[in-house]
Amino acid sequence: MLEVEVAVLFDNVEAADEEEFSAEENDSALIASFGESQGEGDHGLSATGEAASCCVVQPTARHVNCKACLALSLKLVAESLNDELLQVFLDFMRELEESKGDGLKAELVWGYPNAYTVVRTLTSIYPPLAFWSGYSSCRLISANYLNDYAVWVFGDTNGTDQSTRHLVMPRRWIDMNGKTDESIWKAAQRAIIGQLITHPVINYLHLIEILHKVYDRLDVLSVLRHLEEQKILKRVCMDYNIERKVGEMTAHEEEHTKWELSERLDWQEFI
């Protein structure tokens, strides 16, 4: 009887060790998927071996998908977290990578343990390990798939200086050199403000419906975010976490968040 009990206990220990080893292997594979910088020669390439936006090649790059740069970000994050939070972070990152270019819908993201801490860690470090996008709903996407959402532009007018080549998110007011066309940018702001004058306390989905022939979902989100930061618009919030930014909300939150003009509006700024 004693021999049987010892054998069962030994088998359980072996199974536990195998599970722990498997988890460690998965964590190592995840970290390896972001690459490991061996020097400047590794920079400038994505996880798939394509040309990438890189902090070393393009020091002013805002959107980065260089494998070596992202590996450094992941390493810095891993070193800053305690063991418990690190495991939560790595589990989330694994799920995010498995979603590939589709990303994770906001509903799934915010249902994850320690979601607020994990998401802010991912998106606030430079270069960010993930970004928010989505043309039909808010989604968090791994920076490894930035090429699916951004476009390459040259910072110089001739389009020949490779050192100025960088990724930008396409918006109606961004020109072929990645510069903001101020007249188009102001027109987009006027369009949103005009709708709020004629439709006081309107929700985001209604704005999309009215403006979809001219501005897509991400255009409208960008303008709303800017006008809110400038305190020109304010939210009328219904039953959700106010800390979530524009472009990070669930479909329910977008539907039940209405917008109105604040007293800060000065039309002279938009002429």
Side-chain angles (χ1 to χ4, degrees):
M1 183 68 178
L2 178 60
E3 291 177 354
V4 172
E5 289 178 350
V6 170
V8 170
L9 177 61
F10 183 74
D11 287 343
N12 288 340
V13 170
E14 277 193 326
D17 286 344
E18 287 178 2
E19 289 179 4
E20 183 176 351
F21 181 71
S22 177
E24 289 177 353
E25 273 191 326
N26 288 336
D27 292 344
S28 298
L30 171 66
I31 293 173
S33 74
F34 279 85
E36 186 173 344
S37 177
Q38 301 296 330
E40 289 192 9
D42 295 330
H43 285 272
L45 294 176
S46 69
T48 57
E50 301 172 312
S53 180
C54 172
C55 299
V56 172
V57 180
Q58 298 102 11
T60 60
R62 179 179 177 186
H63 303 289
V64 175
N65 63 333
C66 168
K67 188 176 181 180
C69 293
L70 296 177
L72 179 58
S73 281
L74 187 61
K75 179 181 178 182
L76 292 173
V77 170
E79 291 174 349
S80 69
L81 301 176
N82 60 47
D83 291 344
E84 182 179 353
L85 192 54
L86 175 60
Q87 192 56 56
V88 172
F89 174 82
L90 290 174
D91 289 344
F92 181 86
M93 282 298 300
R94 190 178 302 111
E95 191 166 349
L96 186 64
E97 286 301 308
E98 289 174 355
S99 70
K100 299 184 177 180
D102 292 335
L104 299 176
K105 293 185 72 172
E107 287 81 354
L108 182 58
V109 170
W110 296 120
Y112 212 85
N114 298 103
Y116 185 81
T117 300
V118 170
V119 170
R120 288 293 171 262
T121 301
L122 279 170
T123 56
S124 63
I125 192 169
Y126 182 78
L129 291 166
F131 62 97
W132 287 95
S133 191
Y135 285 93
S136 59
S137 62
C138 295
R139 293 174 178 270
L140 187 66
I141 300 149
S142 166
N144 276 325
Y145 298 93
L146 188 61
N147 272 342
D148 293 349
Y149 292 83
V151 295
W152 285 102
V153 297
F154 286 90
D156 66 315
T157 54
N158 295 324
T160 56
D161 186 354
Q162 291 293 325
S163 66
T164 68
R165 188 169 179 261
H166 60 286
L167 286 171
V168 299
M169 293 298 185
R171 296 293 178 266
R172 191 172 182 83
W173 47 85
I174 301 297
D175 66 20
M176 297 299 292
N177 298 119
K179 310 289 186 184
T180 298
D181 185 315
E182 289 297 332
S183 63
I184 299 177
W185 172 233
K186 284 188 176 182
Q189 295 178 66
R190 286 196 297 268
I192 299 292
I193 292 171
Q195 291 303 323
L196 282 163
I197 290 174
T198 56
H199 302 83
V201 192
I202 189 174
N203 73 9
Y204 165 72
L205 299 179
H206 193 184
L207 278 172
I208 287 291
E209 183 180 347
I210 295 171
L211 299 171
H212 77 278
K213 291 184 178 180
V214 182
Y215 302 104
D216 66 27
R217 170 189 164 84
L218 295 178
D219 288 338
V220 176
L221 279 177
S222 295
V223 176
L224 281 177
R225 187 183 301 114
H226 172 76
L227 294 176
E228 183 182 30
E229 289 172 353
Q230 298 300 311
K231 303 188 185 305
I232 294 170
L233 302 185
K234 59 184 179 181
R235 309 182 195 186
V236 180
C237 303
M238 317 279 189
D239 72 359
Y240 84 96
N241 188 345
I242 191 67
E243 291 181 333
R244 293 179 193 170
K245 299 178 181 179
V246 177
E248 302 178 1
M249 300 180 195
T250 65
H252 175 82
E253 291 163 353
E254 287 184 338
E255 182 180 358
H256 291 83
T257 301
K258 299 185 184 298
W259 297 86
E260 63 181 5
L261 294 170
S262 72
E263 298 77 15
R264 167 71 177 74
L265 175 62
D266 181 359
W267 267 110
Q268 292 184 345
E269 297 179 23
F270 303 99
I271 297 175

